[in-house]
Every structure is written in structure tokens, then in C-alpha cells.
Amino acid sequence: GTLRLSTMVELSREHGISLPGTAQLRPLVQVQADEAYTFRNFLSKFSTLRLFYRSPEIIQRVTREAVEDAAADNIRYLELRFTPVALARVQNYPMGEVMDWVCAAAREAEAQTGVTVRLLASFNRHEPVELAEEVVKLAVDRRDMGIVGVDISGNEAEFSALPFVGVLREAQQAGLPAAIHAGEWGGAENVREAILDLNAGRIGHGVRVLEDPVVTALARERAVPFEVCLTSNVQSGVVSDLSHHPLKRMMAAGLNVTINTDDPCISQICLSDEYRLAMDELGIDLSVLQMRILAAARASFLPEPARDLLAERLRAEFS
């Protein structure tokens, strides 16, 4: 979800991808103000985005540009999700090779930009468990290439994550914690499952956790980090409008909340935009925002000494 629109236009011309001009392409890959804000519409954007992964060079370019855009937004540390199955599918590339290309491009971009980059290998809950097993095996083999965790996302409204319990356990036993999308298009029960059954290192979104006080108390007790994405939560229909977003109520409930972008291209945002919304639209104080940024550093999947060092670096910059 991080492709530049200009890159898509350029690639469509170079590779003969049959797509309309820029104005007509935009609604195929970015949520528009006059569209229905539903999870189906949001997910539909990926169908077009996935047409572009037609060569190793493209996959590496997209990776580098995602890091460059993060650097331009003053980001210091980035955990970039990528879905090997999606990147490999168009040309039927071996997933291991795809993962090598992404890892190499991320390292190159890290060296060029100064942004510390780590990777999460993602798989979808609406796809076969066997694919997830292959992704995890390959990710474990590439822990020394920048992969620090795994991620399960996809259609939460219609597919359970419970079939992936064994796969996630294997990843965690091999040293790769898991971020679990839950409590976005599904209810608080999915957050409970993510914590108790899937041993989530972080919860992707999780904004419906407040629907169940028992699950809220569980999440607070475990201090599980929540990856909240304000714009995405509105555009995918999770909340009716920004004024009703539960971010402040989640913080008031003592939950370990962080603020994130989800898909910058699809939502036409960067992380600074999300911080601005938190402050200007939801009334989050700057000092509170800074604490949430430090919480994000401590919720990273870096080893503990590196997490502490990152948080201290950020704290020094704030002061």
C-alpha cells in the first residue's frame, strides 16, 4: 500500500500494463471522498496495486521508494510490512527470491537514507494456511537479513485467524513475534483471540476492543501495543467519521496505543498527517503524542537493548 502514483503511471507505460491515465488511475488505487467507506472498497485497491510487481527491479524500486518516502517524512525507524505471496504471484516468482529482493532493497535504502529499516513478512487470513507456513519458514531463514517479525492481515470480517495458531507459534518459537490484525472489521472477541490464542506481539488496529470491558482489561493488563491508523479506520468503515474515533477513549482506558499510517498510497497520507489529525481533530496534546511515539519505539520488534536505545534517541530529539 505504499506505491507512488507517479511510479505506477511510469511503470504502466514501460511494461505495457493496460491502465487509464493518472486521473482515472487514482480511484483504482486510492480511496476517494465520494466513495463508500467499506472494507470491501478499501481492499479492492490492492487488486490494482498488485498488477505492478512484474520484475525484480520493480519490487526493489517500490521497496526503496517506500523507505525514501519515510525518510522525507522525518521517520527514524520503520517496520515495513510486505506480503511475499502478493509480490510473487503476478510472475510466479519463487517467494524466497522475492524476499531476498525486498531485504536487499531495504538494506540499500537504509544505507542511503539513514532510516533504520526492519521488515515484517505478512500473510493473509483469507488465503491457505500452507502459504503462511511457507512464508514463515522463509522468514525464519532470513532473520539476519532484516526480517524481525511476521504479520497476519486480510479479510477479518469473514475469515478467522485461528487456523494459523500453529504457524504463528512456529514463528514465535524461532524468534519472530507476530503482529495480528484484529478488532478492525471484527469485534473485541478477535482481540481476545489475538492475545490469548495467537500470542500477539502487537494488535493491528484493535479499535473495537472497547466493545468488551473484559477484553479491554485483558489488553491493559498485558500492555499489548495497538497499531491505530486514524485515516484508514475511517476509510475502511470501521468508524463513521474521525470525530467518533476511539483513540482518546483507548488511551483513557489505559491501553498501549501507537499511531500509524496503514497504507500511505491508498489513504494519500504520511505519518505526519496522522499525527496532525490526532492533535488538531482529536485534541491530543503534543506531550501525549510524544509519549505515544516513544511507546511505538518500545513496541518495535527490535531486540530489547535496541528498543531502549531507539526510545532514548527519540526522547533526546524531542527535548
Side-chain angles (χ1 to χ4, degrees), residues 4-51:
R4 296 174 182 170
L5 194 67
S6 58
T7 295
M8 286 185 269
V9 172
E10 181 181 329
L11 292 175
S12 66
R13 292 169 180 162
E14 289 180 357
H15 293 266
I17 303 172
S18 181
L19 290 171
T22 304
Q24 294 75 31
L25 174 61
R26 191 181 297 276
L28 295 179
V29 296
Q30 296 177 336
V31 175
Q32 305 299 301
D34 59 352
E35 292 180 342
Y37 284 176
T38 66
F39 79 90
R40 292 188 187 280
N41 181 61
F42 193 89
L43 289 179
S44 72
K45 309 304 178 182
F46 288 97
S47 299
T48 303
L49 291 173
R50 288 175 176 171
L51 296 175

mmCIF file of all heavy atoms in Angstrom, residues 4-51:
data_model
loop_
_atom_site.group_PDB
_atom_site.id
_atom_site.type_symbol
_atom_site.label_atom_id
_atom_site.label_comp_id
_atom_site.label_asym_id
_atom_site.label_seq_id
_atom_site.Cartn_x
_atom_site.Cartn_y
_atom_site.Cartn_z
ATOM 1 N N ARG A 4 3.968 4.828 -5.103
ATOM 2 C CA ARG A 4 3.717 6.196 -5.558
ATOM 3 C C ARG A 4 2.853 6.160 -6.814
ATOM 4 O O ARG A 4 3.074 5.339 -7.705
ATOM 5 C CB ARG A 4 5.031 6.893 -5.881
ATOM 6 C CG ARG A 4 5.968 7.104 -4.715
ATOM 7 C CD ARG A 4 7.288 7.668 -5.200
ATOM 8 N NE ARG A 4 8.259 7.841 -4.120
ATOM 9 C CZ ARG A 4 9.537 8.144 -4.307
ATOM 10 N NH1 ARG A 4 9.997 8.299 -5.550
ATOM 11 N NH2 ARG A 4 10.352 8.276 -3.292
ATOM 12 N N LEU A 5 1.920 7.099 -6.905
ATOM 13 C CA LEU A 5 1.083 7.181 -8.094
ATOM 14 C C LEU A 5 1.934 7.447 -9.332
ATOM 15 O O LEU A 5 1.719 6.852 -10.400
ATOM 16 C CB LEU A 5 0.036 8.281 -7.914
ATOM 17 C CG LEU A 5 -1.121 8.282 -8.914
ATOM 18 C CD1 LEU A 5 -2.000 7.055 -8.709
ATOM 19 C CD2 LEU A 5 -1.954 9.544 -8.756
ATOM 20 N N SER A 6 2.938 8.314 -9.200
ATOM 21 C CA SER A 6 3.804 8.629 -10.340
ATOM 22 C C SER A 6 4.565 7.394 -10.805
ATOM 23 O O SER A 6 4.774 7.194 -12.016
ATOM 24 C CB SER A 6 4.789 9.736 -9.967
ATOM 25 O OG SER A 6 5.582 9.352 -8.858
ATOM 26 N N THR A 7 4.980 6.558 -9.880
ATOM 27 C CA THR A 7 5.677 5.323 -10.246
ATOM 28 C C THR A 7 4.743 4.382 -10.996
ATOM 29 O O THR A 7 5.141 3.751 -11.984
ATOM 30 C CB THR A 7 6.230 4.634 -8.986
ATOM 31 O OG1 THR A 7 7.217 5.477 -8.402
ATOM 32 C CG2 THR A 7 6.851 3.287 -9.317
ATOM 33 N N MET A 8 3.504 4.283 -10.546
ATOM 34 C CA MET A 8 2.548 3.408 -11.225
ATOM 35 C C MET A 8 2.308 3.856 -12.664
ATOM 36 O O MET A 8 2.254 3.033 -13.580
ATOM 37 C CB MET A 8 1.227 3.360 -10.448
ATOM 38 C CG MET A 8 1.309 2.528 -9.184
ATOM 39 S SD MET A 8 -0.287 2.378 -8.358
ATOM 40 C CE MET A 8 -0.224 3.796 -7.261
ATOM 41 N N VAL A 9 2.173 5.148 -12.858
ATOM 42 C CA VAL A 9 1.962 5.669 -14.218
ATOM 43 C C VAL A 9 3.168 5.345 -15.091
ATOM 44 O O VAL A 9 3.036 4.878 -16.234
ATOM 45 C CB VAL A 9 1.693 7.187 -14.181
ATOM 46 C CG1 VAL A 9 1.674 7.755 -15.592
ATOM 47 C CG2 VAL A 9 0.384 7.477 -13.467
ATOM 48 N N GLU A 10 4.360 5.580 -14.564
ATOM 49 C CA GLU A 10 5.583 5.309 -15.315
ATOM 50 C C GLU A 10 5.704 3.819 -15.654
ATOM 51 O O GLU A 10 6.015 3.450 -16.796
ATOM 52 C CB GLU A 10 6.785 5.769 -14.499
ATOM 53 C CG GLU A 10 8.120 5.569 -15.193
ATOM 54 C CD GLU A 10 9.278 6.013 -14.330
ATOM 55 O OE1 GLU A 10 9.104 6.958 -13.523
ATOM 56 O OE2 GLU A 10 10.360 5.405 -14.451
ATOM 57 N N LEU A 11 5.449 2.958 -14.683
ATOM 58 C CA LEU A 11 5.590 1.517 -14.903
ATOM 59 C C LEU A 11 4.548 0.991 -15.879
ATOM 60 O O LEU A 11 4.830 0.078 -16.659
ATOM 61 C CB LEU A 11 5.487 0.775 -13.569
ATOM 62 C CG LEU A 11 6.640 0.992 -12.590
ATOM 63 C CD1 LEU A 11 6.346 0.291 -11.273
ATOM 64 C CD2 LEU A 11 7.955 0.497 -13.177
ATOM 65 N N SER A 12 3.355 1.565 -15.822
ATOM 66 C CA SER A 12 2.318 1.103 -16.745
ATOM 67 C C SER A 12 2.710 1.381 -18.191
ATOM 68 O O SER A 12 2.418 0.578 -19.099
ATOM 69 C CB SER A 12 0.975 1.763 -16.413
ATOM 70 O OG SER A 12 1.020 3.158 -16.636
ATOM 71 N N ARG A 13 3.402 2.491 -18.421
ATOM 72 C CA ARG A 13 3.861 2.814 -19.783
ATOM 73 C C ARG A 13 5.028 1.915 -20.192
ATOM 74 O O ARG A 13 5.076 1.401 -21.310
ATOM 75 C CB ARG A 13 4.274 4.280 -19.848
ATOM 76 C CG ARG A 13 3.102 5.248 -19.688
ATOM 77 C CD ARG A 13 3.599 6.672 -19.487
ATOM 78 N NE ARG A 13 2.497 7.615 -19.327
ATOM 79 C CZ ARG A 13 2.628 8.831 -18.807
ATOM 80 N NH1 ARG A 13 3.816 9.246 -18.391
ATOM 81 N NH2 ARG A 13 1.575 9.629 -18.695
ATOM 82 N N GLU A 14 5.970 1.718 -19.277
ATOM 83 C CA GLU A 14 7.163 0.943 -19.596
ATOM 84 C C GLU A 14 6.866 -0.530 -19.830
ATOM 85 O O GLU A 14 7.501 -1.185 -20.649
ATOM 86 C CB GLU A 14 8.180 1.069 -18.458
ATOM 87 C CG GLU A 14 8.828 2.441 -18.348
ATOM 88 C CD GLU A 14 9.818 2.493 -17.204
ATOM 89 O OE1 GLU A 14 9.949 1.479 -16.480
ATOM 90 O OE2 GLU A 14 10.462 3.549 -17.037
ATOM 91 N N HIS A 15 5.888 -1.070 -19.113
ATOM 92 C CA HIS A 15 5.643 -2.502 -19.150
ATOM 93 C C HIS A 15 4.336 -2.869 -19.845
ATOM 94 O O HIS A 15 3.920 -4.031 -19.801
ATOM 95 C CB HIS A 15 5.645 -3.070 -17.724
ATOM 96 C CG HIS A 15 6.997 -2.993 -17.071
ATOM 97 N ND1 HIS A 15 7.902 -4.029 -17.105
ATOM 98 C CD2 HIS A 15 7.603 -1.987 -16.388
ATOM 99 C CE1 HIS A 15 9.001 -3.672 -16.458
ATOM 100 N NE2 HIS A 15 8.842 -2.436 -16.011
ATOM 101 N N GLY A 16 3.716 -1.889 -20.486
ATOM 102 C CA GLY A 16 2.507 -2.179 -21.243
ATOM 103 C C GLY A 16 1.347 -2.647 -20.396
ATOM 104 O O GLY A 16 0.523 -3.450 -20.839
ATOM 105 N N ILE A 17 1.285 -2.161 -19.150
ATOM 106 C CA ILE A 17 0.162 -2.508 -18.288
ATOM 107 C C ILE A 17 -1.027 -1.656 -18.700
ATOM 108 O O ILE A 17 -0.940 -0.428 -18.741
ATOM 109 C CB ILE A 17 0.517 -2.265 -16.810
ATOM 110 C CG1 ILE A 17 1.757 -3.072 -16.433
ATOM 111 C CG2 ILE A 17 -0.646 -2.640 -15.900
ATOM 112 C CD1 ILE A 17 2.299 -2.739 -15.055
ATOM 113 N N SER A 18 -2.117 -2.283 -19.034
ATOM 114 C CA SER A 18 -3.281 -1.576 -19.552
ATOM 115 C C SER A 18 -4.039 -0.908 -18.411
ATOM 116 O O SER A 18 -4.818 -1.528 -17.695
ATOM 117 C CB SER A 18 -4.207 -2.554 -20.286
ATOM 118 O OG SER A 18 -5.328 -1.871 -20.801
ATOM 119 N N LEU A 19 -3.760 0.383 -18.225
ATOM 120 C CA LEU A 19 -4.410 1.165 -17.183
ATOM 121 C C LEU A 19 -4.772 2.536 -17.740
ATOM 122 O O LEU A 19 -4.146 3.011 -18.690
ATOM 123 C CB LEU A 19 -3.483 1.337 -15.980
ATOM 124 C CG LEU A 19 -3.216 0.088 -15.134
ATOM 125 C CD1 LEU A 19 -2.112 0.357 -14.127
ATOM 126 C CD2 LEU A 19 -4.481 -0.361 -14.419
ATOM 127 N N PRO A 20 -5.757 3.194 -17.160
ATOM 128 C CA PRO A 20 -6.117 4.537 -17.623
ATOM 129 C C PRO A 20 -5.067 5.563 -17.216
ATOM 130 O O PRO A 20 -4.098 5.257 -16.534
ATOM 131 C CB PRO A 20 -7.453 4.797 -16.915
ATOM 132 C CG PRO A 20 -7.392 3.961 -15.678
ATOM 133 C CD PRO A 20 -6.628 2.721 -16.075
ATOM 134 N N GLY A 21 -5.261 6.817 -17.632
ATOM 135 C CA GLY A 21 -4.352 7.892 -17.261
ATOM 136 C C GLY A 21 -4.403 8.177 -15.777
ATOM 137 O O GLY A 21 -5.184 7.577 -15.029
ATOM 138 N N THR A 22 -3.593 9.139 -15.360
ATOM 139 C CA THR A 22 -3.427 9.394 -13.929
ATOM 140 C C THR A 22 -4.752 9.696 -13.243
ATOM 141 O O THR A 22 -5.051 9.139 -12.181
ATOM 142 C CB THR A 22 -2.459 10.573 -13.719
ATOM 143 O OG1 THR A 22 -1.221 10.277 -14.372
ATOM 144 C CG2 THR A 22 -2.208 10.802 -12.244
ATOM 145 N N ALA A 23 -5.555 10.552 -13.817
ATOM 146 C CA ALA A 23 -6.812 10.932 -13.179
ATOM 147 C C ALA A 23 -7.746 9.738 -13.023
ATOM 148 O O ALA A 23 -8.455 9.604 -12.026
ATOM 149 C CB ALA A 23 -7.494 12.033 -13.984
ATOM 150 N N GLN A 24 -7.745 8.849 -14.025
ATOM 151 C CA GLN A 24 -8.600 7.678 -13.962
ATOM 152 C C GLN A 24 -7.995 6.570 -13.104
ATOM 153 O O GLN A 24 -8.701 5.728 -12.560
ATOM 154 C CB GLN A 24 -8.872 7.139 -15.369
ATOM 155 C CG GLN A 24 -9.697 8.073 -16.258
ATOM 156 C CD GLN A 24 -8.891 9.258 -16.774
ATOM 157 O OE1 GLN A 24 -7.680 9.149 -16.987
ATOM 158 N NE2 GLN A 24 -9.549 10.395 -16.966
ATOM 159 N N LEU A 25 -6.655 6.555 -12.994
ATOM 160 C CA LEU A 25 -5.983 5.545 -12.184
ATOM 161 C C LEU A 25 -6.198 5.791 -10.699
ATOM 162 O O LEU A 25 -6.345 4.838 -9.916
ATOM 163 C CB LEU A 25 -4.482 5.544 -12.497
ATOM 164 C CG LEU A 25 -3.584 4.646 -11.637
ATOM 165 C CD1 LEU A 25 -3.977 3.184 -11.778
ATOM 166 C CD2 LEU A 25 -2.118 4.853 -12.014
ATOM 167 N N ARG A 26 -6.233 7.042 -10.317
ATOM 168 C CA ARG A 26 -6.283 7.390 -8.892
ATOM 169 C C ARG A 26 -7.397 6.657 -8.134
ATOM 170 O O ARG A 26 -7.135 6.058 -7.076
ATOM 171 C CB ARG A 26 -6.419 8.905 -8.737
ATOM 172 C CG ARG A 26 -6.227 9.397 -7.317
ATOM 173 C CD ARG A 26 -6.399 10.915 -7.254
ATOM 174 N NE ARG A 26 -5.397 11.627 -8.026
ATOM 175 C CZ ARG A 26 -4.186 11.927 -7.584
ATOM 176 N NH1 ARG A 26 -3.828 11.555 -6.373
ATOM 177 N NH2 ARG A 26 -3.340 12.593 -8.335
ATOM 178 N N PRO A 27 -8.645 6.646 -8.617
ATOM 179 C CA PRO A 27 -9.683 5.958 -7.837
ATOM 180 C C PRO A 27 -9.537 4.434 -7.798
ATOM 181 O O PRO A 27 -10.165 3.778 -6.958
ATOM 182 C CB PRO A 27 -10.983 6.356 -8.547
ATOM 183 C CG PRO A 27 -10.581 6.834 -9.885
ATOM 184 C CD PRO A 27 -9.213 7.399 -9.740
ATOM 185 N N LEU A 28 -8.695 3.879 -8.666
ATOM 186 C CA LEU A 28 -8.467 2.434 -8.626
ATOM 187 C C LEU A 28 -7.510 2.040 -7.509
ATOM 188 O O LEU A 28 -7.516 0.892 -7.056
ATOM 189 C CB LEU A 28 -7.900 1.947 -9.963
ATOM 190 C CG LEU A 28 -8.801 2.083 -11.190
ATOM 191 C CD1 LEU A 28 -8.074 1.580 -12.433
ATOM 192 C CD2 LEU A 28 -10.110 1.330 -10.986
ATOM 193 N N VAL A 29 -6.686 3.000 -7.068
ATOM 194 C CA VAL A 29 -5.653 2.662 -6.085
ATOM 195 C C VAL A 29 -5.723 3.525 -4.823
ATOM 196 O O VAL A 29 -5.010 3.249 -3.864
ATOM 197 C CB VAL A 29 -4.236 2.782 -6.714
ATOM 198 C CG1 VAL A 29 -4.067 1.774 -7.827
ATOM 199 C CG2 VAL A 29 -3.973 4.195 -7.210
ATOM 200 N N GLN A 30 -6.547 4.560 -4.822
ATOM 201 C CA GLN A 30 -6.653 5.434 -3.662
ATOM 202 C C GLN A 30 -8.122 5.662 -3.314
ATOM 203 O O GLN A 30 -8.958 5.818 -4.207
ATOM 204 C CB GLN A 30 -5.981 6.781 -3.946
ATOM 205 C CG GLN A 30 -4.480 6.667 -4.188
ATOM 206 C CD GLN A 30 -3.832 7.989 -4.531
ATOM 207 O OE1 GLN A 30 -4.487 8.899 -5.018
ATOM 208 N NE2 GLN A 30 -2.524 8.097 -4.278
ATOM 209 N N VAL A 31 -8.418 5.678 -2.028
ATOM 210 C CA VAL A 31 -9.785 5.917 -1.583
ATOM 211 C C VAL A 31 -10.155 7.369 -1.856
ATOM 212 O O VAL A 31 -9.412 8.290 -1.505
ATOM 213 C CB VAL A 31 -9.933 5.586 -0.089
ATOM 214 C CG1 VAL A 31 -11.333 5.953 0.399
ATOM 215 C CG2 VAL A 31 -9.643 4.107 0.165
ATOM 216 N N GLN A 32 -11.320 7.572 -2.479
ATOM 217 C CA GLN A 32 -11.801 8.910 -2.821
ATOM 218 C C GLN A 32 -12.919 9.348 -1.870
ATOM 219 O O GLN A 32 -13.626 8.512 -1.298
ATOM 220 C CB GLN A 32 -12.310 8.922 -4.259
ATOM 221 C CG GLN A 32 -11.300 8.426 -5.291
ATOM 222 C CD GLN A 32 -10.042 9.261 -5.339
ATOM 223 O OE1 GLN A 32 -10.091 10.462 -5.593
ATOM 224 N NE2 GLN A 32 -8.895 8.625 -5.082
ATOM 225 N N ALA A 33 -13.057 10.645 -1.730
ATOM 226 C CA ALA A 33 -14.017 11.187 -0.767
ATOM 227 C C ALA A 33 -15.454 10.807 -1.094
ATOM 228 O O ALA A 33 -16.299 10.711 -0.196
ATOM 229 C CB ALA A 33 -13.885 12.706 -0.699
ATOM 230 N N ASP A 34 -15.758 10.581 -2.392
ATOM 231 C CA ASP A 34 -17.137 10.286 -2.774
ATOM 232 C C ASP A 34 -17.428 8.794 -2.853
ATOM 233 O O ASP A 34 -18.495 8.391 -3.316
ATOM 234 C CB ASP A 34 -17.460 10.950 -4.119
ATOM 235 C CG ASP A 34 -16.538 10.483 -5.246
ATOM 236 O OD1 ASP A 34 -15.552 9.754 -4.951
ATOM 237 O OD2 ASP A 34 -16.795 10.843 -6.413
ATOM 238 N N GLU A 35 -16.489 7.957 -2.385
ATOM 239 C CA GLU A 35 -16.703 6.513 -2.427
ATOM 240 C C GLU A 35 -17.342 6.026 -1.131
ATOM 241 O O GLU A 35 -17.304 6.702 -0.097
ATOM 242 C CB GLU A 35 -15.359 5.786 -2.617
ATOM 243 C CG GLU A 35 -14.734 6.022 -3.967
ATOM 244 C CD GLU A 35 -13.410 5.280 -4.105
ATOM 245 O OE1 GLU A 35 -12.833 4.874 -3.077
ATOM 246 O OE2 GLU A 35 -12.960 5.116 -5.242
ATOM 247 N N ALA A 36 -17.889 4.825 -1.192
ATOM 248 C CA ALA A 36 -18.399 4.189 0.013
ATOM 249 C C ALA A 36 -17.215 3.774 0.889
ATOM 250 O O ALA A 36 -16.265 3.154 0.407
ATOM 251 C CB ALA A 36 -19.230 2.966 -0.355
ATOM 252 N N TYR A 37 -17.261 4.136 2.148
ATOM 253 C CA TYR A 37 -16.193 3.778 3.080
ATOM 254 C C TYR A 37 -16.520 2.406 3.680
ATOM 255 O O TYR A 37 -17.167 2.306 4.732
ATOM 256 C CB TYR A 37 -16.062 4.828 4.171
ATOM 257 C CG TYR A 37 -15.372 6.103 3.724
ATOM 258 C CD1 TYR A 37 -15.249 7.183 4.591
ATOM 259 C CD2 TYR A 37 -14.834 6.236 2.449
ATOM 260 C CE1 TYR A 37 -14.604 8.353 4.204
ATOM 261 C CE2 TYR A 37 -14.192 7.401 2.045
ATOM 262 C CZ TYR A 37 -14.078 8.451 2.934
ATOM 263 O OH TYR A 37 -13.443 9.609 2.551
ATOM 264 N N THR A 38 -16.078 1.364 2.986
ATOM 265 C CA THR A 38 -16.317 -0.012 3.417
ATOM 266 C C THR A 38 -15.025 -0.803 3.319
ATOM 267 O O THR A 38 -14.108 -0.425 2.584
ATOM 268 C CB THR A 38 -17.374 -0.701 2.548
ATOM 269 O OG1 THR A 38 -16.861 -0.848 1.207
ATOM 270 C CG2 THR A 38 -18.672 0.112 2.506
ATOM 271 N N PHE A 39 -14.958 -1.918 4.024
ATOM 272 C CA PHE A 39 -13.746 -2.734 3.960
ATOM 273 C C PHE A 39 -13.578 -3.342 2.577
ATOM 274 O O PHE A 39 -12.460 -3.521 2.100
ATOM 275 C CB PHE A 39 -13.753 -3.808 5.061
ATOM 276 C CG PHE A 39 -14.586 -5.025 4.780
ATOM 277 C CD1 PHE A 39 -14.041 -6.126 4.135
ATOM 278 C CD2 PHE A 39 -15.911 -5.082 5.189
ATOM 279 C CE1 PHE A 39 -14.791 -7.265 3.892
ATOM 280 C CE2 PHE A 39 -16.676 -6.223 4.957
ATOM 281 C CZ PHE A 39 -16.113 -7.306 4.306
ATOM 282 N N ARG A 40 -14.678 -3.662 1.899
ATOM 283 C CA ARG A 40 -14.567 -4.235 0.555
ATOM 284 C C ARG A 40 -13.973 -3.217 -0.425
ATOM 285 O O ARG A 40 -13.104 -3.558 -1.248
ATOM 286 C CB ARG A 40 -15.934 -4.704 0.064
ATOM 287 C CG ARG A 40 -16.474 -5.901 0.835
ATOM 288 C CD ARG A 40 -17.737 -6.446 0.187
ATOM 289 N NE ARG A 40 -18.336 -7.469 1.010
ATOM 290 C CZ ARG A 40 -17.935 -8.732 1.064
ATOM 291 N NH1 ARG A 40 -16.909 -9.122 0.335
ATOM 292 N NH2 ARG A 40 -18.550 -9.598 1.845
ATOM 293 N N ASN A 41 -14.424 -1.978 -0.351
ATOM 294 C CA ASN A 41 -13.875 -0.960 -1.230
ATOM 295 C C ASN A 41 -12.404 -0.712 -0.919
ATOM 296 O O ASN A 41 -11.573 -0.576 -1.823
ATOM 297 C CB ASN A 41 -14.666 0.345 -1.091
ATOM 298 C CG ASN A 41 -14.155 1.438 -2.014
ATOM 299 O OD1 ASN A 41 -14.161 1.297 -3.237
ATOM 300 N ND2 ASN A 41 -13.697 2.535 -1.428
ATOM 301 N N PHE A 42 -12.075 -0.678 0.369
ATOM 302 C CA PHE A 42 -10.686 -0.445 0.778
ATOM 303 C C PHE A 42 -9.782 -1.551 0.241
ATOM 304 O O PHE A 42 -8.740 -1.294 -0.370
ATOM 305 C CB PHE A 42 -10.610 -0.372 2.302
ATOM 306 C CG PHE A 42 -9.304 0.165 2.819
ATOM 307 C CD1 PHE A 42 -9.122 1.516 3.016
ATOM 308 C CD2 PHE A 42 -8.257 -0.686 3.117
ATOM 309 C CE1 PHE A 42 -7.924 2.027 3.503
ATOM 310 C CE2 PHE A 42 -7.050 -0.202 3.601
ATOM 311 C CZ PHE A 42 -6.886 1.165 3.795
ATOM 312 N N LEU A 43 -10.175 -2.796 0.449
ATOM 313 C CA LEU A 43 -9.352 -3.924 0.000
ATOM 314 C C LEU A 43 -9.271 -4.012 -1.523
ATOM 315 O O LEU A 43 -8.292 -4.540 -2.068
ATOM 316 C CB LEU A 43 -9.918 -5.238 0.559
ATOM 317 C CG LEU A 43 -9.737 -5.467 2.067
ATOM 318 C CD1 LEU A 43 -10.382 -6.796 2.474
ATOM 319 C CD2 LEU A 43 -8.269 -5.453 2.460
ATOM 320 N N SER A 44 -10.291 -3.480 -2.219
ATOM 321 C CA SER A 44 -10.295 -3.572 -3.681
ATOM 322 C C SER A 44 -9.118 -2.832 -4.304
ATOM 323 O O SER A 44 -8.689 -3.146 -5.421
ATOM 324 C CB SER A 44 -11.612 -3.021 -4.238
ATOM 325 O OG SER A 44 -11.673 -1.598 -4.124
ATOM 326 N N LYS A 45 -8.577 -1.826 -3.606
ATOM 327 C CA LYS A 45 -7.456 -1.052 -4.156
ATOM 328 C C LYS A 45 -6.224 -1.927 -4.370
ATOM 329 O O LYS A 45 -5.419 -1.673 -5.272
ATOM 330 C CB LYS A 45 -7.116 0.127 -3.244
ATOM 331 C CG LYS A 45 -8.302 1.001 -2.851
ATOM 332 C CD LYS A 45 -9.056 1.557 -4.045
ATOM 333 C CE LYS A 45 -10.247 2.386 -3.595
ATOM 334 N NZ LYS A 45 -11.053 2.918 -4.719
ATOM 335 N N PHE A 46 -6.067 -2.945 -3.539
ATOM 336 C CA PHE A 46 -4.901 -3.815 -3.670
ATOM 337 C C PHE A 46 -4.921 -4.612 -4.971
ATOM 338 O O PHE A 46 -3.868 -5.010 -5.464
ATOM 339 C CB PHE A 46 -4.817 -4.771 -2.481
ATOM 340 C CG PHE A 46 -4.414 -4.101 -1.201
ATOM 341 C CD1 PHE A 46 -5.372 -3.710 -0.272
ATOM 342 C CD2 PHE A 46 -3.085 -3.849 -0.919
ATOM 343 C CE1 PHE A 46 -5.008 -3.094 0.907
ATOM 344 C CE2 PHE A 46 -2.705 -3.228 0.264
ATOM 345 C CZ PHE A 46 -3.669 -2.840 1.172
ATOM 346 N N SER A 47 -6.103 -4.856 -5.522
ATOM 347 C CA SER A 47 -6.186 -5.634 -6.766
ATOM 348 C C SER A 47 -5.422 -4.952 -7.889
ATOM 349 O O SER A 47 -4.736 -5.603 -8.682
ATOM 350 C CB SER A 47 -7.655 -5.828 -7.161
ATOM 351 O OG SER A 47 -8.352 -6.538 -6.166
ATOM 352 N N THR A 48 -5.529 -3.622 -7.964
ATOM 353 C CA THR A 48 -4.784 -2.881 -8.981
ATOM 354 C C THR A 48 -3.312 -2.747 -8.597
ATOM 355 O O THR A 48 -2.423 -2.912 -9.433
ATOM 356 C CB THR A 48 -5.397 -1.485 -9.193
ATOM 357 O OG1 THR A 48 -6.777 -1.630 -9.544
ATOM 358 C CG2 THR A 48 -4.667 -0.730 -10.293
ATOM 359 N N LEU A 49 -3.041 -2.458 -7.326
ATOM 360 C CA LEU A 49 -1.654 -2.287 -6.892
ATOM 361 C C LEU A 49 -0.824 -3.528 -7.204
ATOM 362 O O LEU A 49 0.352 -3.433 -7.570
ATOM 363 C CB LEU A 49 -1.611 -2.004 -5.391
ATOM 364 C CG LEU A 49 -2.159 -0.642 -4.943
ATOM 365 C CD1 LEU A 49 -2.205 -0.569 -3.423
ATOM 366 C CD2 LEU A 49 -1.321 0.492 -5.496
ATOM 367 N N ARG A 50 -1.430 -4.688 -7.100
ATOM 368 C CA ARG A 50 -0.675 -5.929 -7.273
ATOM 369 C C ARG A 50 -0.385 -6.257 -8.736
ATOM 370 O O ARG A 50 0.324 -7.228 -9.014
ATOM 371 C CB ARG A 50 -1.427 -7.077 -6.601
ATOM 372 C CG ARG A 50 -1.369 -6.980 -5.090
ATOM 373 C CD ARG A 50 -2.205 -8.019 -4.390
ATOM 374 N NE ARG A 50 -2.016 -7.932 -2.933
ATOM 375 C CZ ARG A 50 -2.746 -8.599 -2.054
ATOM 376 N NH1 ARG A 50 -3.699 -9.408 -2.470
ATOM 377 N NH2 ARG A 50 -2.503 -8.473 -0.763
ATOM 378 N N LEU A 51 -0.889 -5.465 -9.651
ATOM 379 C CA LEU A 51 -0.577 -5.681 -11.067
ATOM 380 C C LEU A 51 0.855 -5.264 -11.406
ATOM 381 O O LEU A 51 1.373 -5.626 -12.471
ATOM 382 C CB LEU A 51 -1.540 -4.882 -11.947
ATOM 383 C CG LEU A 51 -3.021 -5.263 -11.888
ATOM 384 C CD1 LEU A 51 -3.827 -4.275 -12.728
ATOM 385 C CD2 LEU A 51 -3.240 -6.690 -12.383
#
